[in-house]
Amino acid sequence: MRRFECIGLVCLVTGLLAACGGSSSSPAAGGASTGMAVYSGESGGARSTAYDGANFLVGLQTLQTNTGVGSGTSTPVGAILVDGTGAPVGSPLILASVGDSPSVACDSANHCLMAWADHSGLATDGAIIGQMLSTAGGALAASGSPFTIQAAQADVPNPGDTDKYLLEPQGIVFDGVNFLVVYTHVFQPAPNTGPSTSNVLGQFVSTAGTLVGTALTLSATPKTGDVTGQPAVAYDSFNAKALVTWTDATRNTKLDGTYCSSPPASQNMQYSPTDIEGQFVTQSTVGAAGTLSGANFAIQQDATRKIRGGPSIAFDGSDYFIVWTNETAPGACDTSGPADGPSELIANFMDTVGNLFSTTPFLVGSSATRGALPQVAYDPTAGGRFVVVWTDLRNDANGNLACDAGEGTCMDVWGQTFVFDSTPGVEARLVSDAGNQFEAALGAGGGKLLLLWDHGVLPNGSGSLTSPNVERDLVITAP
């Protein structure tokens, strides 16, 4: 389990992107500034931000140590407000509910929705839970109690069967009337009784915290053993519809796990996703959910290279920008070991009816980039630009996610700007602190960009996070 202290930093941009941190060795333009306390305590992650018209709302997964019955650690969810200078606004709000790092979204009237995959107990494990928040007057407060967006089910239809739900950082958007929450449904049968299945669902939620209509099935029914998920959503207010994207494995015939060919039917094996799919959803109305607009459509299809990380999307008023992590070359078979191919970040522009800018997605970063976990936001200043940030592993020469001798800081936060039909900006290392920085998150609002990242964690060779000496940095960059 990770432990984080939250520190706020402010960096003023003097170029397209600014470097943040204490070192002058970054290739990016700009300078560093001193830090200020934003969240004093332990945090397990902050991967989602929203702008309420005055401040940034940051969803937090905190970490606490329990004593007595149920001793150990748990991860209560919460949120904090941060203003445009990087300073905290009031105190953080920490709930009693335990869950994954929450996703957040706000309207323009200080109504915000925070949602998360819950792990508070057996009855709610894997459910999607929501909490309405108010940010009126710059004061963060809960509005009502937590409520169920999607209930988890167990032992249905057979003992040992489970239905679980997963929510990604870009899992909520406000469509001008209601919030749309998109999430993954995973059906896991009892052990050794068959493969799991999954699909993507969407549920509208009013600004009062009530469900609007029933959940929409966004992805077509997957084949047995399919892995469909990691959805992201963005909203187009000009055409009154949302775009939902996700990873899909319909075209893949290779399997994750120890098998390079089809395993026995009794095994719970899963296919790796190789495609990015999309679906438009119409704007909701008061008391009525939006509906699917057209059918699922392909954004990326490659039957030989698997998707390493789900898409992140943003909209600029005319076009969408979609970025994801892909294998650079096919692995020998889709195992969890070195037979996987190396990864790269690729992206494409798409118009509001699903037409792609290029039949071949283009590279984010450079041939040296070994990127993961990208997030994109649209910055309307400086003529308008998409900003992509990611975890960069180019210094991890042997790809073992450990900082070995001679590798220096093997994980860093990098970024790059993109403008439709223009030459991309130069990739730049945004954080030049010593140690590791990774899992960057990005939000935009009020002419500023909020960048968050994990700092100082050293994973061991298996990829688990073990170091307790960790801090969380919250960074504001102003164009």
Side-chain angles (χ1 to χ4, degrees), residues 279-379:
Q279 174 66 55
F280 290 111
V281 180
T282 64
Q283 183 185 37
S284 62
T285 58
V286 176
T291 59
L292 303 189
S293 176
N296 292 177
F297 59 92
I299 296 172
Q300 159 79 348
Q301 289 186 328
D302 189 335
T304 63
R305 299 191 302 169
K306 71 179 182 182
I307 304 296
R308 285 289 188 81
S312 176
I313 58 176
F315 184 67
D316 68 357
S318 299
D319 299 285
Y320 295 95
F321 188 88
I322 308 165
V323 58
W324 63 93
T325 309
N326 210 56
E327 282 185 320
T328 58
C333 64
D334 288 348
T335 69
S336 58
D340 286 344
S343 63
E344 64 185 359
L345 300 179
I346 55 177
N348 214 336
F349 290 96
M350 192 187 79
D351 67 17
T352 57
V353 295
N355 296 313
L356 296 172
F357 172 74
S358 173
T359 56
T360 302
F362 49 85
L363 188 67
V364 174
S366 67
S367 59
T369 301
R370 296 178 62 193
L373 303 173
Q375 280 203 18
V376 59
Y378 178 66
D379 173 17

Side-chain angles (χ1 to χ4, degrees), residues 209-235:
T210 59
L211 303 188
V212 179
T214 58
L216 301 173
T217 299
L218 301 175
S219 60
T221 302
K223 68 178 182 179
T224 300
D226 193 4
V227 173
T228 298
Q230 298 180 293
V233 60
Y235 186 67

Side-chain angles (χ1 to χ4, degrees), residues 38-237:
V38 170
Y39 175 72
S40 58
E42 296 177 344
S43 169
R47 295 280 289 144
S48 179
T49 70
Y51 190 67
D52 72 352
N55 299 299
F56 290 95
L57 176 69
V58 178
L60 292 174
Q61 181 193 47
T62 66
L63 180 67
Q64 69 179 24
T65 301
N66 304 321
T67 59
V69 177
S71 61
T73 58
S74 60
T75 54
V77 298
I80 188 171
L81 283 177
V82 180
D83 69 16
T85 70
V89 180
S91 301
L93 174 68
I94 308 301
L95 305 181
S97 298
V98 172
D100 295 340
S101 187
S103 183
V104 295
C106 298
D107 67 5
S108 59
N110 301 117
H111 302 111
C112 299
L113 172 61
M114 179 171 69
W116 62 92
D118 196 78
H119 305 297
S120 297
L122 292 177
T124 61
D125 189 41
I128 303 298
I129 304 297
Q131 172 69 62
M132 297 306 303
L133 304 173
S134 171
T135 60
L140 178 61
S143 298
S145 301
F147 58 95
T148 300
I149 295 174
Q150 175 66 65
Q153 296 177 329
D155 298 327
V156 179
N158 301 308
D161 292 350
T162 58
D163 287 89
K164 303 296 184 183
Y165 300 87
L166 304 172
L167 184 66
E168 302 296 328
Q170 287 190 312
I172 311 177
V173 72
F174 183 68
D175 74 354
V177 181
N178 297 296
F179 295 97
L180 173 59
V181 184
V182 296
Y183 49 94
T184 305
H185 170 215
V186 179
F187 172 73
Q188 181 68 55
N192 299 320
T193 61
S196 62
T197 60
S198 57
N199 58 2
V200 175
L201 306 177
Q203 175 66 60
F204 284 93
V205 178
S206 75
T207 56
T210 59
L211 303 188
V212 179
T214 58
L216 301 173
T217 299
L218 301 175
S219 60
T221 302
K223 68 178 182 179
T224 300
D226 193 4
V227 173
T228 298
Q230 298 180 293
V233 60
Y235 186 67
D236 169 10
S237 61

